[in-house]
Amino acid sequence: MKSKAPAYFLLLALIALFLGMSFGMLASFQYILPEFLKEVLPFSKLRPFHVTSVISWIVLCATGSIYFFLVYVEKFKLFSPFLAKLHFVIFLLTGIAIYFSFIFDYTEGREYFAFSPILIMPILIGWIFFGINYFKTLYKNIRGWPVYFWMWGTGIVFMCYHLLEAHFWLLDFFRLDFIRDFAVQWKSYGSFTGSWNMLVYGISIYLMSKIKKDSNLGHSKIGFFFYFLGLANLMFGWAHHTYFVPMQPWIRYVSYAISMTEWIVLASIIYNWKRSVLKVEKENHPMAYRFLLSTDLWIFLNIILALLFSIPAINFFTHGTHITVAHSMGTTIGINTTILFSALFFILKNLYPEFETDKKWIKRGYVSFNISLFFFWVSLLIAGGKKSYWMYVSKTGLFSEMQASLIPYYISFFIFGIGIFVSLFIVAFPVFRLFLLKIKTPEKTGL
Ligand code: HEM
């Protein structure tokens, strides 16, 4: 009997995604009607609920996918299925504790880790367990590792460090020096994102190589170039988070160049793969293939945005507006989430080869997801642009007047947010149902 931990992680990831989107929808409704639920669930509470849940979706789905690939596709004997189960239980209980921490206002943490800082301990322990299991399972053939194994291993190690780093502010040495505190805090968030990107981008290369049944992709020069670029980005690409900190200009330029190049290389890898993949290979994994095409499209759209606002003179105007939110959600939904849905469909096909993923409803959900996301993103960009214009260019009229002029864009943001929720629900429903079935009746899937 093999480990069921991957399926547990994937189910929990989907639950976190839909809970997170529900919080997001409530929060976006408060843009339109600020008084809505203000007493019970003010925006200041909904935001951390939303952000923590959706980031958990990315991390849990990446973790579950990696466990799954190792055990079920690569057929490695997991070093310790028990440790994997413990890893899951720790994350589940910590997730519940984080929600309680938000409900009862134990929110002395910061920004993306607003929960009580003590809860970072079990999270770290979970990552260490994952690391032990990962390296103990794979270390024997390290010489021939394809690039995605390197990416996952690196992501796990750096995740442990950056989670710690994000809590350095607890030490007086950091907290009592504003510049040091600010720089380290935002650096750690940038690198935290870089660490999960290592996991998720590694998954994208893995999927491309498996769908095409071409192991060369995992050993290609361009793949390894991408890995080192990602590593450099993880270590130095945070500078666009710290534009307000006095620092050497070259640090910003280097970081800016690296982060853009990383995306361009990933986009070109997907583009070349798309051109070379055979019809029959696409037909074997139609939805996994389609979601990777979306990734390519969303990388392209996000590059245009990021190219513009990474220029310090433009960043000055966009910082703190909805344009930044468009960037965060454009990338976490458009790039991370599409790769992860591709992984979910690939896994589904592995578990139930006879299941037809190319169903009319799933395809419709996929199309409406992309359309909704596009208008959702554009609404945020326009709202951000208008606010920035009022703050820095026109400088006329009251704040309340400017806010009132943004209402139409907030409404469209809210409506297309619902569009994303419903579309992903249609797409994810069969995946969720079949993963659940796998846990309940393992004999049907050979577990
Ligand atoms: C896969 C789904 C989603 C992901 C991964 C995601 C991710 C994120 C992230 C990372 C942020 C933090 C932004 C920042 O700090 O700059 C954010 C904020 C937010 N998201 Fe989402 N999001 C998702 C879906 C949604 C949906 C469906 C809605 C509903 C309309 C929504 C509404 C919001 C709102 C209102 C904020 C707060 C923005 C602010 O601070 O003003 N999100 N989201």
Side-chain angles (χ1 to χ4, degrees):
M1 162 147 160
K2 287 182 189 161
S3 170
K4 283 187 198 165
Y8 284 124
F9 270 105
L10 296 173
L11 283 174
L12 187 62
L14 283 169
I15 293 171
L17 172 67
F18 285 96
L19 275 177
M21 287 198 290
S22 309
F23 295 128
M25 286 188 299
L26 290 177
S28 64
F29 194 64
Q30 288 183 345
Y31 279 0
I32 308 168
L33 281 183
E35 297 305 312
F36 174 72
L37 284 182
K38 195 177 165 191
E39 300 302 316
V40 204
L41 267 176
F43 185 83
S44 56
K45 266 196 177 182
L46 278 172
R47 193 178 188 282
F49 265 118
H50 170 64
V51 177
T52 306
S53 309
V54 289
I55 292 180
S56 305
W57 139 252
I58 296 173
V59 166
L60 291 168
C61 190
T63 306
S65 304
I66 294 169
Y67 271 131
F68 183 90
F69 298 148
L70 296 185
V71 179
Y72 294 99
V73 186
E74 301 302 316
K75 313 261 188 255
F76 286 119
K77 194 172 174 301
L78 200 60
F79 166 69
S80 167
F82 172 73
L83 214 55
K85 211 172 258 176
L86 207 57
H87 177 188
F88 172 77
V89 173
I90 291 175
F91 273 17
L92 173 67
L93 295 180
T94 314
I96 297 170
I98 289 176
Y99 277 180
F100 274 104
S101 157
F102 289 155
I103 293 170
F104 295 109
D105 281 328
Y106 291 105
T107 45
E108 57 279 28
R110 283 187 180 177
E111 205 43 49
Y112 301 110
F113 304 97
F115 46 81
S116 184
I118 188 77
L119 292 175
I120 201 65
M121 292 311 288
I123 297 179
L124 263 174
I125 293 173
W127 279 101
I128 291 169
F129 284 176
F130 188 22
I132 295 174
N133 231 345
Y134 183 81
F135 289 106
K136 282 278 196 185
T137 304
L138 288 179
Y139 80 101
K140 281 179 217 123
N141 49 1
I142 197 161
R143 273 172 156 266
W145 270 16
V147 70
Y148 38 81
F149 285 178
W150 284 107
M151 294 176 87
W152 296 337
T154 309
I156 296 170
V157 171
F158 276 85
M159 187 63 98
C160 295
Y161 172 67
H162 292 298
L163 286 174
L164 258 186
E165 188 183 49
H167 290 81
F168 280 178
W169 61 270
L170 290 165
L171 306 172
D172 283 352
F173 176 74
F174 292 95
R175 200 179 47 247
L176 300 182
D177 179 331
F178 175 75
I179 300 283
R180 185 183 296 147
D181 185 13
F182 188 88
V184 171
Q185 188 189 336
W186 282 96
K187 175 209 172 282
S188 72
Y189 297 151
S191 302
F192 169 58
T193 312
S195 308
W196 88 52
N197 278 339
M198 269 283 173
L199 304 178
V200 177
Y201 295 170
I203 290 177
S204 72
I205 299 202
Y206 182 82
L207 292 170
M208 284 186 266
S209 115
K210 293 294 154 182
I211 293 175
K212 202 169 163 227
K213 298 194 182 76
D214 175 7
S215 58
N216 288 335
L217 201 66
H219 295 278
S220 63
K221 283 201 180 109
I222 180 90
F224 276 95
F225 175 64
F226 176 59
Y227 165 69
F228 285 112
L229 208 60
L231 189 61
N233 192 16
L234 193 165
M235 294 199 240
F236 309 112
W238 40 269
H240 71 272
H241 283 279
T242 49
Y243 273 130
F244 292 114
V245 180
M247 66 166 109
Q248 293 291 323
W250 69 266
I251 299 181
R252 291 174 191 156
Y253 300 138
V254 169
S255 116
Y256 166 65
I258 293 172
S259 55
M260 292 306 116
T261 336
E262 190 193 17
W263 273 353
I264 292 169
V265 174
L266 179 59
S268 85
I269 294 178
I270 300 181
Y271 180 75
N272 286 329
W273 168 81
K274 181 180 80 180
R275 287 197 325 173
S276 61
V277 83
L278 297 176
K279 195 163 173 273
V280 57
E281 291 157 352
K282 284 182 213 170
E283 282 166 1
N284 284 341
H285 295 278
M287 286 315 293
Y289 172 78
R290 282 197 193 102
F291 269 107
L292 283 180
L293 295 193
S294 297
T295 312
D296 214 22
L297 168 76
W298 282 100
I299 292 176
F300 174 72
L301 292 175
N302 279 294
I303 282 179
I304 298 174
L305 178 62
L307 273 173
L308 292 175
F309 86 60
S310 294
I311 299 166
I314 297 184
N315 189 277
F316 175 77
F317 294 103
T318 62
H319 199 89
T321 70
H322 292 306
I323 296 179
T324 314
V325 183
H327 163 67
S328 320
M329 282 205 265
T331 48
T332 48
I333 309 178
I335 304 177
N336 293 146
T337 300
T338 51
I339 293 175
L340 294 170
F341 264 90
S342 174
L344 289 178
F345 277 100
F346 177 83
I347 291 171
L348 192 64
K349 202 72 195 166
N350 250 273
L351 291 176
Y352 300 93
E354 72 289 355
F355 180 75
E356 186 55 75
T357 52
D358 212 15
K359 287 200 163 74
K360 195 167 74 186
W361 273 102
I362 301 183
K363 277 197 279 189
R364 283 184 184 169
Y366 164 81
V367 172
S368 74
F369 159 74
N370 281 292
I371 296 174
S372 304
L373 179 55
F374 181 76
F375 287 108
F376 179 84
W377 188 70
V378 169
S379 313
L380 283 172
L381 289 181
I382 300 178
K386 276 184 82 99
K387 186 173 178 187
S388 178
Y389 185 78
W390 176 82
M391 283 197 301
Y392 301 107
V393 184
S394 78
K395 295 179 185 166
T396 51
L398 299 171
F399 179 77
S400 56
E401 287 169 353
M402 181 275 297
Q403 277 296 78
S405 75
L406 298 185
I407 295 287
Y409 307 102
Y410 289 159
I411 293 177
S412 94
F413 171 62
F414 173 65
I415 291 175
F416 289 109
I418 297 178
I420 296 177
F421 182 97
V422 175
S423 317
L424 285 185
F425 186 82
I426 295 170
V427 172
F429 184 73
V431 180
F432 190 85
R433 194 175 61 83
L434 290 170
F435 284 175
L436 204 61
L437 191 71
K438 172 188 158 79
I439 286 178
K440 282 197 197 149
T441 52
E443 61 286 352
K444 284 198 182 167
T445 48
L447 285 176

